[in-house]
Amino acid sequence: FALKAAGRLEKVSVPAMGRQIFNPHTPVTLADLDTFAFNLSVCAGTADWRRNDRQNNLILCHAGQITLESELGELSLHGGELVVVPTSTAFRLSSEERSLVLELERHKAPSLPISD
């Protein structure tokens, strides 16, 4: 990704960032892209149920293995596999091992900078 006004590209190591996360199921934003945030979280144990009534949830198991439980059924995801959970579908993630999960989240557009 490009840092603002840096004049160069920077890369992010997902495994290295994952090693810095100590609270399971607490997302950390890796990059903000206009109206989207690319979040990383560690899945270990079972998360609380959640539901997004405004958008679909894109969930990518980056490393390890996770189980996604939803009102539509249960699905096992391995590293490199992803799923889109439809809007208004309750779901939760769980894992018996420490797994890395990436999610795309829409948020309010950032304010435009004030011109000089």
Side-chain angles (χ1 to χ4, degrees), residues 80-115:
E81 296 180 328
L82 66 86
V83 65
V84 174
V85 179
T87 303
S88 300
T89 302
F91 71 96
R92 70 179 174 180
L93 303 177
S94 63
S95 181
E96 294 181 9
E97 61 184 79
R98 185 177 167 89
S99 300
L100 296 179
V101 177
L102 293 163
E103 294 187 55
L104 192 62
E105 177 185 15
R106 177 176 275 161
H107 57 74
K108 183 179 179 265
S111 301
L112 295 174
I114 299 172
S115 54

Side-chain angles (χ1 to χ4, degrees), residues 36-86:
F36 291 94
F38 197 50
N39 296 324
L40 172 65
S41 61
V42 167
C43 185
T46 302
D48 293 332
W49 285 94
R50 60 186 174 143
R51 171 192 316 266
N52 193 330
D53 292 325
R54 296 185 347 212
Q55 68 184 43
N56 296 328
N57 286 80
L58 186 142
I59 299 169
L60 168 69
C61 179
H62 178 73
Q65 179 179 344
I66 63 172
T67 299
L68 183 143
E69 290 179 74
S70 79
E71 53 197 48
L72 301 175
E74 188 173 295
L75 191 63
S76 185
L77 296 171
H78 297 86
E81 296 180 328
L82 66 86
V83 65
V84 174
V85 179

Side-chain angles (χ1 to χ4, degrees), residues 4-41:
K4 290 181 182 178
R8 60 181 161 59
L9 296 175
E10 293 287 335
K11 64 181 179 179
V12 173
S13 168
V14 174
M17 291 298 294
R19 286 190 293 274
Q20 296 178 42
I21 298 174
F22 297 104
N23 296 325
H25 307 289
T26 304
V28 172
T29 300
L30 296 182
D32 270 313
L33 310 164
D34 299 321
T35 59
F36 291 94
F38 197 50
N39 296 324
L40 172 65
S41 61

